[in-house]
Amino acid sequence: MQVKTQNTLFKDLPISALILNDRFEIESYSEHLVHEFLPKKTELTGKHIAEAIPFLPSLFFTAINDCFVYKCGDENPAVQYVNYRNDIQWLKWRITPRIKEDKTINLLVYLEEVSKLKQMEDFFTRVEEVALVGGWQLNIKTSELFWTDVTKLIHEVPNHYAPQLKEGLKFYKEGEHRQRIQQLVDNAIKYGISYNEELIIVTAKGNEKWVRAKGETDFVNGECVRLFGTFQDIDKEKRSEIAMERTSNRLQTATSSGRIGIWEYEFDTGKIIWDKNMYTLFGINPKSFVPHYTTWENTLHPEDKERIIKDLQLAKQGIKPFNTEYRIIAKYNRVRHLKAQGTIVYGGKGEPTKMIGSNWDITESKENEARLKQLLKVTTSQNEGLLNFAHIVSHNLRSHASNIAMLSNFLDDDLKDSGANSESLQLLKTAAKNLNETIVHLNEVVEVKTNATEKLKNIAVKPILENVLESIDVSVKDANTKLTHNLTDNTKVPAVAAYLDSILLNLISNSIRYKHPERDLKLNIEFTTNKDSKILSIKDNGIGINLKKHRKKLFGMYKTFHDHSEARGIGLFISKNQMESMNGEISVESKEGIGSTFHLTFYNNK
């Protein structure tokens, strides 16, 4: 009765179990075994295990044989086999021997179908490998630390590596990261506080990596017995995040310092999104702001509204970019000038969905522009007045000075006829002559300045040089001048013909006037070019100039450097003004007793 009751209880067990005798026959089994492993209800009592369940893996039959022979138990967590439906499955077993008089009389066998569990394990293993998420576990009592293969992979250690807690913590970067993980582990063990932290480790190969370390605890009777969690490689994502954050911070700094507002306008809903700079530009409180297109439209200056709305529509239609300027009525009715640029964003079907753009305040530059225009207007008016005055002085006064000189000559002739002579009259004649020369010079200067806007042309240099030499032919011959040059018919410079004629005349006349008394005059005119300019150099072997003493005042008006009766100090001054009016330059190299070289530079692109 007792044995029958035990068999009944065994059959009702909620697990797959059976009892084998030493002939490998099934003495008893649970109904759950039939339900889990066999296709239909079958009587198994007295049957050989290999006959009753023939598809079990061969390793299982080897195990039960060893258990009988060696009087031992066996346990296997998962072995693959093919069931009666030809499905690949996973089997777990535990075998416990019953020994009597030093002999195994039967075996208690526990079987479990673990295919679903094994599939989940495989799935999570693959997820770990793909996502680089590893696991770890720390036994607090034994201080044993376990790492999964992925955790070892992240740390770049071999699979046989056996981690220790202290060594594991040393992988974290020295400083704040190592101090932080030690603090987190201590708090978890002492107070059961979980953690989820992003930290830097230095791998066994010396590489720095960002990782996400998560930790959970198990407490028994108020004492932590286990600390476990996950370990994930987030290096690429974290570095991208840091780079993005830096870029975002730089952009935010740039837009804030430049007072640039960023906006977004959705066409279908009329919704607009503003950053904080936009509120500042428009002088609007964010709390009272209604994020809609009409809110923006209502801020537009009445004189600009129609134009700006049209520009926006043209941009939406793809006819022209939204790149414009407009005025708004900001806080306290202040008029502000804004620059606006926008880019259309298109949907999946190629339709325009929204516009993203920027605004910045150009009020100050607009006001400065207006002030400059007014200043230019005033300056132009004043300049015209000064030019009128110069013309009056240089033209009208010249005629009066000429009259004085002429009358003094008449008076001098009359006195000579009468046989009288007057020293005062001679002084008056000299003064009249000097006054007339001064006004002639002033007239030349005014002519240079007033004709400065004459259009430059490519002028042939050689014909102008020939005209100059012809006009001073007598002086050239008197100085026994030997002139050489490398000019051709194609030698041209961007200049005004009259100015070039005047400059060459002044420079060659000066060379003749200031020739060295002990040698004949040698003149060499050389033309050179480079990428940006063309240069005419006039070189002589005259008496030269002391540049150390006179360089600063060389081109000044009425500045002379030699005791010569014909020196007036006006030629170089006028030549400099003429070169500058043609956007050119004049410079000099000179040594006393050796000679001078004047360089005329004509710029190609000015």
Side-chain angles (χ1 to χ4, degrees):
M1 180 70 180
Q2 185 178 0
V3 173
K4 185 176 180 180
T5 302
Q6 287 178 349
N7 288 339
T8 301
L9 290 174
F10 197 83
K11 282 185 176 293
D12 292 337
L13 287 175
I15 58 175
S16 296
L18 57 86
I19 297 175
L20 290 176
N21 60 27
D22 56 1
R23 297 184 298 276
F24 300 100
E25 296 172 341
I26 300 174
E27 292 183 348
S28 184
Y29 62 92
S30 66
E31 292 292 341
H32 191 276
L33 173 71
V34 177
H35 174 73
E36 188 171 21
F37 288 96
L38 298 173
K40 57 184 178 179
K41 288 188 176 181
T42 307
E43 179 58 46
L44 301 180
T45 305
K47 288 187 177 182
H48 192 283
I49 183 66
E51 178 187 355
I53 317 176
F55 45 79
L56 290 178
S58 58
L59 186 63
F60 169 75
F61 295 111
T62 300
I64 59 176
N65 183 69
D66 290 344
C67 288
F68 273 112
V69 173
Y70 299 109
K71 295 176 284 188
C72 64
D74 186 74
E75 186 171 353
N76 198 307
V79 176
Q80 196 176 61
Y81 75 102
V82 180
N83 67 8
Y84 68 91
R85 292 189 299 268
N86 291 321
D87 296 330
I88 296 176
Q89 299 290 324
W90 292 85
L91 177 69
K92 175 182 178 181
W93 68 73
R94 186 171 70 249
I95 303 172
T96 304
R98 184 183 175 194
I99 299 173
K100 186 176 182 182
E101 297 178 357
D102 199 30
K103 181 180 179 182
T104 302
I105 58 175
N106 56 31
L107 298 175
L108 175 61
V109 180
Y110 162 72
L111 300 175
E112 183 181 359
E113 172 65 66
V114 293
S115 297
K116 290 184 179 180
L117 179 62
K118 186 63 178 177
Q119 288 172 358
M120 289 300 294
E121 287 180 357
D122 288 345
F123 170 76
F124 283 116
T125 299
R126 292 181 183 273
V127 169
E128 280 187 357
E129 292 173 353
V130 173
L132 286 178
V133 179
W136 59 273
Q137 177 177 282
L138 174 65
N139 187 318
I140 303 300
K141 292 185 177 180
T142 63
S143 296
E144 291 181 36
L145 179 62
F146 167 77
W147 283 355
T148 64
D149 290 344
V150 174
T151 302
K152 294 176 181 178
L153 178 66
I154 295 172
H155 284 82
E156 295 184 334
V157 296
N159 285 335
H160 63 267
Y161 179 78
Q164 298 294 324
L165 179 59
K166 288 184 178 180
E167 292 179 358
L169 294 177
K170 286 182 179 179
F171 276 99
Y172 288 86
K173 186 176 181 179
E174 191 174 1
E176 59 174 319
H177 296 274
R178 188 179 298 176
Q179 293 172 3
R180 180 61 178 157
I181 191 64
Q182 288 175 338
Q183 182 184 27
L184 292 170
V185 170
D186 289 345
N187 289 340
I189 294 173
K190 290 179 181 178
Y191 311 113
I193 301 174
S194 302
Y195 62 85
N196 182 352
E197 200 82 4
E198 295 177 352
L199 300 165
I200 296 177
I201 65 167
V202 180
T203 69
K205 295 182 179 180
N207 298 316
E208 286 193 5
K209 284 185 181 180
W210 277 95
V211 298
R212 181 183 298 281
K214 290 185 178 181
E216 300 284 347
T217 57
D218 278 343
F219 272 72
V220 176
N221 297 325
E223 183 180 359
C224 182
V225 296
R226 185 171 74 114
L227 186 62
F228 63 96
T230 59
F231 198 81
Q232 182 181 7
D233 184 344
I234 59 169
D235 191 67
K236 289 183 179 179
E237 295 81 358
K238 186 64 177 179
R239 293 187 188 279
S240 298
E241 178 187 331
I242 293 172
M244 184 70 73
E245 185 177 353
R246 287 174 181 168
T247 303
S248 177
N249 289 339
R250 285 196 294 267
L251 178 60
Q252 185 174 356
T253 301
T255 55
S256 297
S257 60
R259 293 188 294 178
I260 299 174
I262 308 299
W263 51 267
E264 185 175 319
Y265 165 38
E266 295 179 358
F267 296 140
D268 291 342
T269 63
K271 180 181 177 181
I272 59 176
I273 301 172
W274 283 3
D275 72 349
K276 63 179 182 180
N277 288 334
M278 286 292 291
Y279 296 109
T280 303
L281 289 176
F282 282 76
I284 294 177
N285 187 338
K287 294 181 180 179
S288 61
F289 177 68
V290 179
H292 197 269
Y293 167 82
T294 54
T295 306
W296 168 78
E297 186 179 298
N298 290 335
T299 65
L300 297 177
H301 194 285
E303 296 177 7
D304 294 346
K305 180 179 290 188
E306 183 178 350
R307 174 177 60 83
I308 297 306
I309 293 174
K310 184 177 179 181
D311 287 347
L312 195 61
Q313 290 301 319
L314 291 174
K316 184 178 178 181
Q317 295 167 18
I319 297 175
K320 74 170 191 175
F322 188 67
N323 185 351
T324 187
E325 297 176 3
Y326 61 88
R327 290 169 292 173
I328 62 169
I329 308 298
K331 194 175 181 180
Y332 306 123
N333 290 323
R334 292 186 62 193
V335 176
R336 310 294 296 174
H337 294 261
L338 299 183
K339 176 73 175 177
Q341 289 184 340
T343 301
I344 299 291
V345 177
Y346 295 91
K349 297 180 180 179
E351 76 284 4
T353 58
K354 62 183 177 180
M355 180 182 285
I356 299 174
S358 59
N359 282 132
W360 60 95
D361 195 331
I362 58 171
T363 304
E364 187 175 347
S365 62
K366 283 291 183 181
E367 291 174 350
N368 288 338
E369 182 181 337
R371 283 195 291 268
L372 284 173
K373 286 182 178 179
Q374 180 62 26
L375 180 59
L376 180 61
K377 183 178 179 181
V378 172
T379 304
T380 301
S381 176
Q382 291 177 342
N383 191 45
E384 288 174 354
L386 288 172
L387 286 174
N388 288 332
F389 172 75
H391 279 295
I392 291 171
V393 172
S394 64
H395 293 86
N396 299 359
L397 189 57
R398 181 183 177 186
S399 62
H400 298 306
S402 298
N403 289 335
I404 293 173
M406 184 176 63
L407 289 172
S408 64
N409 286 330
F410 289 158
L411 183 58
D412 185 41
D413 290 341
D414 291 342
L415 287 175
K416 284 181 179 179
D417 291 340
S418 64
N421 189 14
S422 172
E423 185 179 349
S424 298
L425 181 58
Q426 295 302 319
L427 293 175
L428 175 61
K429 285 178 64 178
T430 302
K433 179 184 177 184
N434 291 340
L435 175 61
N436 192 52
E437 285 184 359
T438 300
I439 294 173
V440 169
H441 295 159
L442 178 60
N443 184 64
E444 292 178 356
V445 173
V446 171
E447 288 299 324
V448 171
K449 293 300 183 183
T450 55
N451 292 331
T453 57
E454 184 175 341
K455 187 176 181 181
L456 299 180
K457 297 179 181 178
N458 274 325
I459 303 297
V461 180
K462 189 176 178 181
I464 291 181
L465 175 63
E466 291 172 349
N467 289 336
V468 168
L469 294 174
E470 185 179 351
S471 67
I472 56 172
D473 181 62
V474 176
S475 298
V476 171
K477 290 178 179 178
D478 288 345
N480 293 322
T481 305
K482 182 179 180 182
L483 187 143
T484 58
H485 64 79
N486 67 342
L487 305 180
T488 68
D489 293 339
N490 293 323
T491 302
K492 296 181 179 181
V493 294
V496 177
Y499 289 178
L500 184 57
D501 183 286
S502 173
I503 294 167
L504 291 177
L505 177 62
N506 272 322
L507 295 179
I508 294 174
S509 296
N510 281 349
S511 294
I512 294 172
R513 186 176 299 122
Y514 303 113
K515 70 179 288 290
H516 199 284
E518 298 177 0
R519 56 180 177 253
D520 294 338
L521 176 62
K522 289 183 180 180
L523 271 176
N524 179 50
I525 300 176
E526 185 176 356
F527 177 74
T528 57
T529 63
N530 56 38
K531 182 180 179 181
D532 300 317
S533 62
K534 299 175 180 179
I535 302 170
L536 269 178
S537 299
I538 296 92
K539 182 179 181 181
D540 65 42
N541 63 340
I543 59 176
I545 305 169
N546 186 340
L547 292 182
K548 187 175 181 180
K549 182 178 180 181
H550 299 298
R551 183 183 292 277
K552 291 184 180 180
K553 58 181 181 178
L554 185 64
F555 295 100
M557 192 170 184
Y558 297 128
K559 302 298 181 182
T560 58
F561 318 104
H562 302 290
D563 296 329
H564 195 284
S565 59
E566 296 182 15
R568 293 291 183 270
I570 192 67
L572 290 181
F573 175 77
I574 291 176
S575 296
K576 180 177 184 294
N577 278 268
Q578 288 171 332
M579 284 300 297
E580 290 177 351
S581 72
M582 296 186 295
N583 297 322
E585 293 178 359
I586 183 171
S587 60
V588 65
E589 299 175 43
S590 187
K591 289 185 178 180
E592 281 189 297
I594 296 177
S596 303
T597 303
F598 284 86
H599 302 286
L600 306 178
T601 304
F602 302 86
Y603 291 100
N604 298 327
N605 299 323
K606 285 193 177 182

